[in-house]
Amino acid sequence: MVSGADLARRLRELITALDRRRARAEDPAEAAIARDAVFLREQAVTRLADLAAQTAAAPDDRTPFPAVPRDVAVLTVHEFTFDLDELDEHQIPPIERICRMFMDDANRALVWCIRFGAWKAWCSSPDVMVRATSDSRIVRDAREVAASFPLNHRWEFDSAAFGRAVDGISLRRARTGVDSAAST
């Protein structure tokens, strides 16, 4: 049996995938496929709203409100990176978009925003900008680390420790031959 939280995550993934879908004009069946995609998306949104209403009655499954940096919950890599590829590096996603992703857990949306801010602060340091210019995989690997890395007292990532964690992912990928782009 699939838990409500897992089903909600899968529905959000489906909605995101359908939103990213691009029409293929050369395909004669495209009109029917597009209609089916719209219908499927509507069903997923409706089911997600139903799940949100059901979970509103059971607040025990929700992410606790982060009052101090150590309370900032861990996100899955998918939860943190769900929309980052569609944004340019200086863009902050609209809050409605973030809340839609975490429809059943407003505190989790807040956690995403906190982690996103800490990730952006790390990415904006001059050293990281130089490294990212020479190797675009650095930013992609940093996204994975940002999903679960602990925050310091300033609600940011400790730059040196975070950088070592990012380097560790890059090193593991180099050893196993798995490219960052293929793993996300």
Side-chain angles (χ1 to χ4, degrees):
M1 182 172 180
V2 176
S3 71
D6 192 42
L7 178 58
R9 180 187 54 77
R10 290 178 185 185
L11 287 167
R12 288 189 298 266
E13 288 173 4
L14 174 63
I15 292 166
T16 300
L18 290 169
D19 287 346
R20 288 182 177 164
R21 185 183 179 283
R22 300 292 178 244
R24 295 180 304 179
E26 70 280 356
D27 188 343
E30 182 58 36
I33 294 169
R35 270 192 314 276
D36 290 347
V38 168
F39 179 70
L40 181 59
R41 186 184 189 287
E42 288 172 358
Q43 286 184 312
V45 168
T46 299
R47 182 66 180 116
L48 194 54
D50 291 346
L51 274 173
Q54 290 171 3
T55 57
D60 296 337
D61 292 345
R62 294 190 180 185
T63 304
F65 182 83
V68 294
R70 72 174 178 270
D71 291 344
V72 174
V74 168
L75 298 175
T76 66
V77 171
H78 175 75
E79 284 176 323
F80 185 69
T81 62
F82 80 99
D83 221 3
L84 294 180
D85 287 333
E86 293 194 6
L87 302 172
D88 77 29
E89 63 188 68
H90 304 292
Q91 190 177 15
I92 297 173
I95 192 72
E96 310 87 62
R97 203 167 175 178
I98 299 163
C99 288
R100 266 196 321 262
M101 179 67 178
F102 300 102
M103 197 172 203
D104 58 337
D105 192 344
N107 287 346
R108 206 151 184 83
L110 174 63
V111 163
W112 188 94
C113 291
I114 292 167
R115 288 191 170 283
F116 181 77
W119 173 72
K120 292 295 284 179
W122 182 81
C123 287
S124 67
S125 78
D127 177 51
V128 173
M129 289 170 42
V130 168
R131 288 178 64 200
T133 303
S134 65
D135 185 357
S136 63
R137 292 174 295 187
I138 296 295
V139 173
R140 186 175 302 259
D141 292 346
R143 292 175 183 173
E144 289 188 24
V145 174
S148 59
F149 201 80
L151 280 77
N152 63 22
H153 68 283
R154 293 185 320 249
W155 296 79
E156 295 178 346
F157 301 126
D158 175 77
S159 188
F162 189 82
R164 285 190 300 274
V166 171
D167 291 341
I169 284 181
S170 300
L171 204 65
R172 271 194 305 279
R173 286 203 172 115
R175 272 192 236 134
T176 61
V178 177
D179 187 327
S180 299
S183 66
T184 56

